[in-house]
Amino acid sequence: MSFRALCLNTLCVSALLSGVGPVRFFALSAAHAQDGTAQNVAPAKNAANPKHTTSPVAQSSAPSQVAAPVVAGKEEDLVVKASRNNRMYVSSGGDLGALGHKKGLDVPFNIRSYNASLILNQQSQTLGDVLLNDPTVRTTTGYGNYAQLFQIRGFTLYGDDIAIDGLYGVTPRQLVSPQLYESVQVLNGASAFLNGAAPGGSAIGGNVNLISKRAAATDITRVTGDYTSSAQGGGAVDISRRFGQDRAYGFRFNAAGMDGETPIDGERRADIALGGAFDWHNDDTRINMNMNYQKQQVFGGRSAIIVSSLATGMPAPLPTSPSKNWGQRWAYTDLSYLFGTMGIEHDFGKNVTVYGKFGAQSGNEMGNYATTTLTNSRTGAGTVGAMATAYNVMNEATQAGVRAHVETGFIKHEINAGGSAIWEESDSAYAMSLVGVSGNIYNPTQFTPNETYARGNMSDPGRVSWNKLYSLFLSDTMTFWHDRISLTGGFRYQDILSNSYAYGSGEMQTHYNSSAFSPVIGLVIHPVKHVAVYFNRIQGLSAGSVVGSTYVNAGQVFAPYESTQYEVGAKYDIGRFSAGVAFYQTSMPYGVVEAYGNTGQLLYSQNGQERNRGMELTFNGEIIRGLRFNGGLTLIDAKQVRAASEDNNGKTAIGVPNYTINGNLEYDVPFVKGLTLVGRVISTGKQQFNNANSAHLPAWSRFDLGARYTFLVRGKALTTRFEVDNVGNQRYWASVYQSNLIMGDPETFKFSITADL
């Protein structure tokens, strides 16, 4: 059955449910309405153990002698529970790698988690759709393809460097289907100590970690059908069960997909995501395992525009119609991944826990891409190249450690020690056209690609890279003065081994092997309850360079790039509402090419440096009864401190906006029970177009509006949703990542209906 058929079948199920008997709409009593706002969808204390689970829904007390009120009360409880489970929920805290899962108020870092109901309500098809809600993150597109990249604190996060359950190397590289995950966690700032060096060399300004769905304390049978303009139909199934003695065994199954034409002219996308998770626990041992399959396809897609060949003083081109597609009809990408993780934890008494994790990914990527290189921003003229690629990846990752709690006098210690390792092998081949075809982004023309230059065998790609990263870490978090002060100190030893091989022949071209220590120090002070002030010094780490043959210092191997971050901030968290402010500075070195005296030769060095300073202000939770807000403000000052050209020293880095603003509002309409209105604003400041700062992209803002309605049909909860993204079809250039110019998405209509059976 196709996923479009699944969507139609889901709607038919809903119609049949309504046809069995009269559709009933139930109002909340005042007592239930008050209870619903007070508990704020707090997660169960221990979802893995039902004996410690607390229900978020008030249960009816003694049964009544009158039958009708009892039924009505039960139905009201169902509406309360369904409405509450659909709320936008953003929590402070998450998985901090070496330090384990922590509350945001107790750690010297800025971390937030976006829950599964937000992903469902917004019909998110990619990870970028979820991160549109974060005021500190902006999404852009990779070179020549449709891969999503993310910018946090002005630095790039590659898809290769997104983690699943705390493990690097397991996540699909280019596009991520978010329907398989219980939460999406965003950590602002460097994380070399917490998570180790990212294998792709990014994660300098922040990190994203995906938490897999597992069996919930309450059984779930959820069917969703959805539609997105201009002609995309899809659906999803989510089944969760616990069984056995003490409900110790758990199983979760998820299937989701969509297929059809997007609002961009001539572009079609299709995706499938399947996930199965199993877990078991007793009093001192917890085991979980999940296996996932994801396939994302794009046909005739609109790619980024390369602008590096433009004259320095030439301005950015005027935005075209948001639905304009300058891509080629033959362009496509086909991304398939099989991946999974497994974890085990065991408690030795109350004070010692040992744990281990393992993950693996097998990926296959095929594509033929049409990339426009702009040569005149005023007329829109340029050249269009063609390149076909085949890329296979096989990755493995593991992590193990021990967490111990001890006391020495009046000081409590949490000691974390362990290690991690990642193995990555990539096979690749490509074919490309040597001469570009004349084109124009305002008046695009179609042509047949002539890809005559090839490297490697497209039907059987050969090995082009092999990487191994392993690390050891140790930390001590000391808590004293009635738990009001905690001080964390530690380090991670990281070794990076990387080999690259020639296309086709498989002959080794470069060999890199280097190591570094990444220290951390963090301080948290709780002056009063629910308030914390904090400080951290932590580093980011990525592999250095092996100098190529065209430079006078050919063959030189540089030590890993070490980026140093200083951060100070404050947090406020009362459960139903949290707020935070952070001030930071991160200095990142990078490679530059310099003249070697008067010899006419060139020298490659790591003397370049970018320094980003900024402020982050975030708010999450319920402002007043029935009104919830998520969003904030970020100010960034990204400077080229030591640029390749001295004339650019002190200039702003390309593509880093001077501010970003997000605001998400949900309002439960009091006079129409079960109805929630939704609004979102996304605003991004100006972005410099070139290193000389002679031109920039103007600031832009986008507005999204929507509503959802929860009601009962024969005792079953149904939720309908309608949303319009980019209301008014605003035309804007969303970002200019390095030399890639990305257009903003056009106005998009979304509709879905979910039945909890």
Side-chain angles (χ1 to χ4, degrees):
M1 180 187 293
S2 70
F3 280 94
R4 183 175 295 181
L6 176 61
C7 172
L8 296 176
N9 289 341
T10 303
L11 296 177
C12 291
V13 169
S14 302
L16 288 173
L17 285 172
S18 61
V20 173
V23 179
R24 305 179 188 176
F25 300 91
F26 298 95
L28 299 177
S29 66
H32 283 104
Q34 183 175 2
D35 177 69
T37 58
Q39 298 201 29
N40 195 41
V41 210
K45 181 179 180 181
N46 187 350
N49 193 340
K51 294 186 293 184
H52 296 96
T53 301
T54 57
S55 171
V57 182
Q59 303 295 325
S60 58
S61 54
S64 171
Q65 295 181 352
V66 183
V70 174
V71 175
K74 182 178 179 180
E75 290 167 338
E76 287 176 349
D77 283 347
L78 291 174
V79 173
V80 171
K81 182 177 180 180
S83 298
R84 199 181 286 169
N85 288 341
N86 271 296
R87 290 178 179 176
M88 173 180 65
Y89 186 54
V90 183
S91 61
S92 174
D95 188 347
L96 285 170
L99 299 181
H101 194 280
K102 299 293 183 183
K103 294 181 179 179
L105 200 64
D106 296 334
V107 294
F109 307 102
N110 187 359
I111 182 171
R112 294 166 308 288
S113 299
Y114 296 86
N115 73 336
S117 66
L118 181 148
I119 296 172
L120 175 63
N121 284 329
Q122 296 181 355
Q123 296 174 224
S124 302
Q125 295 299 311
T126 65
L127 180 59
D129 294 339
V130 181
L131 295 179
L132 279 174
N133 299 284
D134 196 290
T136 69
V137 180
R138 286 297 180 263
T139 302
T140 185
T141 304
Y143 172 79
N145 56 25
Y146 311 108
Q148 289 184 333
L149 310 178
F150 307 98
Q151 188 184 82
I152 307 177
R153 293 188 171 178
F155 298 107
T156 303
L157 173 66
Y158 300 142
D160 308 62
D161 295 338
I162 293 170
I164 293 181
D165 296 330
L167 293 173
Y168 282 136
V170 183
T171 312
R173 285 181 355 112
Q174 296 196 34
L175 295 169
V176 176
S177 298
Q179 300 94 332
L180 302 177
Y181 306 104
E182 187 61 36
S183 67
V184 174
Q185 300 179 350
V186 178
L187 170 67
N188 292 68
S191 59
F193 164 76
L194 298 172
N195 302 301
S202 64
I204 301 301
N207 171 267
V208 174
N209 184 33
L210 310 174
I211 303 301
S212 301
K213 285 183 177 178
R214 297 191 178 95
T218 304
D219 289 347
I220 298 172
T221 304
R222 180 175 297 139
V223 181
T224 299
D226 49 48
Y227 172 83
T228 302
S229 61
S230 56
Q232 290 181 286
V237 175
D238 187 355
I239 299 173
S240 174
R241 293 290 186 272
R242 300 210 69 86
F243 49 92
Q245 185 177 2
D246 295 330
R247 294 168 62 86
Y249 296 88
F251 176 74
R252 187 83 175 258
F253 173 76
N254 278 268
M258 181 169 277
D259 188 2
E261 297 179 2
T262 75
I264 298 173
D265 296 337
E267 180 181 277
R268 174 175 161 251
R269 292 189 178 233
D271 66 81
I272 298 173
L274 301 172
F278 172 82
D279 70 87
W280 172 85
H281 74 273
N282 62 16
D283 290 338
D284 52 20
T285 304
R286 296 160 297 280
I287 299 174
N288 65 77
M289 178 176 62
N290 64 81
M291 181 63 69
N292 308 296
Y293 171 77
Q294 176 191 302
K295 186 179 185 67
Q296 292 257 12
Q297 296 174 295
V298 182
F299 303 96
R302 181 176 70 186
S303 63
I305 301 170
I306 301 174
V307 295
S308 57
S309 60
L310 291 177
T312 301
M314 188 167 284
L318 294 175
T320 68
S321 168
S323 59
K324 190 79 171 182
N325 190 350
W326 49 77
Q328 297 293 308
R329 285 190 289 268
W330 47 262
Y332 80 96
T333 187
D334 190 325
L335 314 170
S336 300
Y337 306 94
L338 183 65
F339 57 102
T341 63
M342 184 174 124
I344 182 170
E345 292 182 349
H346 181 76
D347 301 328
F348 290 93
K350 296 181 179 180
N351 297 324
V352 178
T353 298
V354 297
Y355 62 89
K357 301 178 183 179
F358 175 79
Q361 177 203 168
S362 175
N364 177 267
E365 303 174 4
M366 295 289 293
N368 202 354
Y369 305 99
T371 305
T372 300
T373 300
L374 200 64
T375 55
N376 190 313
S377 64
R378 295 182 175 89
T379 64
T383 59
V384 185
M387 182 173 183
T389 64
Y391 187 92
N392 299 329
V393 62
M394 183 65 194
N395 297 343
E396 295 175 334
T398 187
Q399 179 180 318
V402 59
R403 184 169 297 114
H405 296 266
V406 298
E407 294 187 17
T408 56
F410 64 92
I411 301 177
K412 300 176 183 178
H413 299 262
E414 180 181 286
I415 299 173
N416 286 278
S420 64
I422 303 170
W423 299 267
E424 295 187 330
E425 180 174 335
S426 301
D427 303 335
S428 184
Y430 68 90
M432 61 183 295
S433 56
L434 295 177
V435 180
V437 177
S438 297
N440 191 292
I441 61 173
Y442 301 124
N443 297 290
T445 57
Q446 298 294 316
F447 66 92
T448 301
N450 183 25
E451 295 158 333
T452 57
Y453 180 83
R455 285 293 179 268
N457 186 346
M458 291 286 290
S459 60
D460 185 20
R463 182 168 64 170
V464 295
S465 69
W466 184 85
N467 303 319
K468 177 184 176 183
L469 296 85
Y470 69 85
S471 67
L472 300 171
F473 63 84
L474 175 66
S475 71
D476 183 8
T477 299
M478 297 173 286
T479 307
F480 46 93
W481 194 28
H482 307 291
D483 297 337
R484 290 191 174 186
I485 299 178
S486 66
L487 178 65
T488 299
F491 68 91
R492 184 184 290 259
Y493 170 80
Q494 181 82 60
D495 185 87
I496 303 174
L497 171 63
S498 178
N499 294 336
S500 67
Y501 303 88
Y503 282 86
S505 68
E507 182 180 348
M508 182 184 291
Q509 290 185 317
T510 62
H511 172 76
Y512 181 88
N513 190 3
S514 191
S515 60
F517 282 89
S518 299
V520 64
I521 183 169
L523 174 67
V524 180
I525 301 175
H526 298 281
V528 296
K529 189 177 181 180
H530 305 307
V531 174
V533 294
Y534 69 93
F535 163 82
N536 72 62
R537 182 194 184 276
I538 192 170
Q539 290 185 325
L541 189 69
S542 57
S545 302
V546 179
V547 181
S549 59
T550 58
Y551 301 101
V552 68
N553 56 334
Q556 182 178 354
V557 178
F558 287 106
Y561 293 95
E562 294 178 316
S563 305
T564 303
Q565 171 190 287
Y566 295 90
E567 180 179 348
V568 62
K571 305 175 184 179
Y572 173 74
D573 192 340
I574 57 173
R576 66 177 181 85
F577 181 79
S578 64
V581 60
F583 299 89
Y584 65 88
Q585 174 179 297
T586 304
S587 299
M588 182 188 76
Y590 60 86
V592 294
V593 177
E594 304 171 299
Y596 185 62
N598 297 321
T599 63
Q601 295 178 300
L602 298 176
L603 176 74
Y604 185 89
S605 72
Q606 291 190 171
N607 292 334
Q609 186 181 87
E610 179 180 330
R611 186 210 63 214
N612 292 5
R613 292 174 176 167
M615 183 273 287
E616 296 165 342
L617 185 63
T618 56
F619 301 94
N620 303 296
E622 194 168 42
I623 303 173
I624 59 175
R625 182 182 302 172
L627 181 64
R628 294 173 295 280
F629 178 81
N630 163 59
L633 162 71
T634 299
L635 303 176
I636 309 177
D637 179 30
K639 296 297 185 186
Q640 304 172 63
V641 178
R642 293 198 298 268
S645 171
E646 291 186 2
D647 294 337
N648 294 333
N649 288 341
K651 301 291 181 65
T652 300
I654 294 177
V656 180
N658 55 347
Y659 72 83
T660 56
I661 299 173
N662 280 57
N664 288 25
L665 275 175
E666 286 193 351
Y667 178 58
D668 299 329
V669 179
F671 50 84
V672 183
K673 301 302 181 182
L675 176 63
T676 299
L677 303 180
V678 181
R680 178 172 66 184
V681 59
I682 305 171
S683 184
T684 301
K686 69 178 182 179
Q687 303 169 59
Q688 295 300 327
F689 197 62
N690 51 42
N691 284 320
N693 292 180
S694 59
H696 67 268
L697 298 183
W700 60 268
S701 295
R702 172 186 133 180
F703 299 90
D704 306 332
L705 294 174
R708 66 174 180 269
Y709 184 51
T710 301
F711 56 96
L712 294 184
V713 177
R714 302 294 294 175
K716 302 297 183 181
L718 269 71
T719 301
T720 59
R721 308 173 187 86
F722 179 73
E723 181 177 340
V724 183
D725 291 345
N726 189 13
V727 174
N729 207 25
Q730 300 292 322
R731 58 175 67 193
Y732 59 93
W733 295 113
S735 66
V736 53
Y737 166 69
Q738 294 182 351
S739 296
N740 303 324
L741 186 62
I742 294 92
M743 186 76 180
D745 292 330
E747 187 174 55
T748 304
F749 298 88
K750 298 179 180 179
F751 172 79
S752 70
I753 182 168
T754 297
D756 287 301
L757 305 176

